[in-house]
Amino acid sequence: MSGKIYVVATPIGNLGDLTPRIRRAFEEADFIAAEDTRVSVKLLNHFGIKKPLVSYYEHNLKQKGDYIISRVLAGETCAVCSDAGTPCISDPGEILVKQAHRAGIQLVPIPGPSAVITALCVSGQDTGRFCFEGFLSTVKKQRLEHLNGLKEEKRTMIFYEAPHKLLNTLRDFETFFGRERPMTIARELTKLHEEIKLTTVGRALEYYSANPPKGEFVLVLSGRPEVQRQTQSLEEVAQSCLDLAKRENLSLSDAAKQVCAKTPFGKSEVYKAAMKLKEERRQ
Ligand code: SAM
């Protein structure tokens, strides 16, 4: 009979978050598949658990996945974990879980910390509907495509970010979502220097330009506000577009591009409405 795979969450910075079930899953496993065995061995040593470790990380997923599945099919039980938090969430595990389903292996989730939910629950942003966006790509084209696809997103958006990329990401947020968009920056969650800042994209940019970012970050960005659609009609936005074009000597198309960024309307929608308004005035 085949064994099973425990998918085990581990603390994201505070060993106090290690639950009895997490500990028991490690104790029951015949072997542990860990993202970085040097990191996981420290956690296991802390609790006096000694188990054979298999490294399972980004660059050996296929080969090690097959190996893990074959051992489990032969009757062993595996606990899979990442360096911190929940496996499969911007961490290895997803492919192994899919392989296990295909092989008919029982999967047992052992829930615990994940930075995405830990940040969201204290963010002060809407929590009813949200989407997890993980890390933005370091490849500019992919990053900009990703953000462009989120311009209309109304749900709260959650991103992971490394400190050295934070400023760049905030600049991209400014371009795609505007300076006034509310956001929460959650830093070093569950650790000694935990910080939860309810702010805006513009204020965060100013703050971190003056204070170089350090530690681990989760960015919780408010979705596109509904309220603007109610407070500003398309006709009013079209009028602002005409005013801006006249004042700054811009083409209507360029003015529409600038004006629409702060509204719920798209560029071509604003452009067409402004053209219509202009025509009506001529008649
Ligand atoms: N699987 C993990 C989880 O469930 O949260 C995430 C792993 S991902 C490789 C690491 C990223 O998660 C970090 O770069 C950071 O964005 C976020 N993160 C992890 N721990 C954190 C913490 N204590 N405080 C803030 N962000 C954290």
Side-chain angles (χ1 to χ4, degrees):
M1 205 178 98
S2 73
K4 56 191 166 195
I5 296 180
Y6 288 115
V7 180
V8 186
T10 55
I12 56 170
N14 191 323
L15 285 176
D17 294 331
L18 202 138
T19 65
R21 262 195 101 211
I22 295 174
R23 189 175 179 161
R24 210 158 50 237
F26 283 137
E27 281 167 351
E28 279 179 23
D30 295 302
F31 69 103
I32 294 168
E35 183 185 8
D36 184 337
T37 52
R38 291 162 305 182
V39 173
S40 297
V41 87
K42 283 187 202 148
L43 180 75
L44 297 167
N45 282 346
H46 186 84
F47 292 99
I49 301 169
K50 282 208 183 331
K51 292 283 162 161
L53 286 148
V54 169
S55 79
Y56 179 72
Y57 64 101
E58 206 184 337
H59 300 292
N60 71 2
L61 298 179
K62 172 77 183 90
Q63 169 216 352
K64 280 294 168 66
D66 290 346
Y67 171 71
I68 293 165
I69 294 291
S70 68
R71 283 183 68 169
V72 176
L73 283 174
E76 290 188 274
T77 287
C78 170
V80 59
C81 66
S82 63
D83 290 352
T86 302
C88 311
I89 310 300
S90 294
D91 261 346
E94 180 182 345
I95 293 174
L96 185 67
V97 167
K98 286 181 177 167
Q99 282 178 302
H101 274 288
R102 280 198 296 274
I105 289 169
Q106 184 192 356
L107 286 149
V108 183
I110 307 291
S114 185
V116 50
I117 299 297
T118 310
L120 178 67
C121 70
V122 288
S123 68
Q125 307 297 342
D126 290 348
T127 57
R129 296 187 68 195
F130 61 90
C131 48
F132 175 56
E133 298 300 323
F135 287 102
L136 288 168
S137 173
T138 47
V139 179
K140 191 170 180 185
K141 186 169 177 286
Q142 285 174 19
R143 193 171 69 245
L144 299 186
E145 271 173 18
H146 186 166
L147 290 169
N148 197 40
L150 293 173
K151 265 172 74 177
E152 313 293 321
E153 182 56 68
K154 294 195 182 78
R155 293 171 296 178
T156 298
M157 292 161 268
I158 307 167
F159 301 84
Y160 283 167
E161 197 46 284
H164 63 282
K165 292 197 300 177
L166 181 73
L167 271 175
N168 208 17
T169 295
L170 291 174
R171 283 189 202 108
D172 286 340
F173 280 5
E174 184 183 27
T175 307
F176 286 90
F177 309 109
R179 288 181 70 77
E180 304 310 319
R181 180 69 66 95
M183 71 179 295
T184 303
I185 301 200
R187 192 179 80 85
E188 295 288 87
L189 290 163
T190 73
K191 301 184 194 174
L192 189 63
H193 299 291
E194 178 177 85
E195 226 174 31
I196 295 138
K197 268 186 204 294
L198 186 57
T199 180
T200 61
V201 169
R203 276 192 274 135
L205 202 43
E206 276 161 30
Y207 179 82
Y208 284 108
S209 298
N211 303 278
K214 286 192 202 113
E216 297 198 275
F217 288 85
V218 181
L219 313 178
V220 186
L221 184 69
S222 170
R224 182 171 165 160
E226 289 281 6
V227 65
Q228 285 180 10
R229 196 177 276 279
Q230 289 151 12
T231 53
Q232 249 197 329
S233 68
L234 179 57
E235 194 167 36
E236 284 168 328
V237 177
Q239 182 60 57
S240 311
C241 175
L242 289 177
D243 294 344
L244 180 71
K246 194 171 169 197
R247 198 171 62 241
E248 302 290 335
N249 201 20
L250 293 175
S251 70
L252 261 197
S253 164
D254 285 344
K257 191 174 171 187
Q258 288 199 25
V259 164
C260 80
K262 297 187 187 98
T263 77
F265 305 108
K267 181 190 151 192
S268 67
E269 212 179 347
V270 173
Y271 175 77
K272 278 185 203 148
M275 282 295 278
K276 188 164 167 254
L277 211 58
K278 204 170 158 186
E279 290 299 318
E280 284 168 3
R281 300 250 162 93
R282 271 209 200 112
Q283 288 159 13

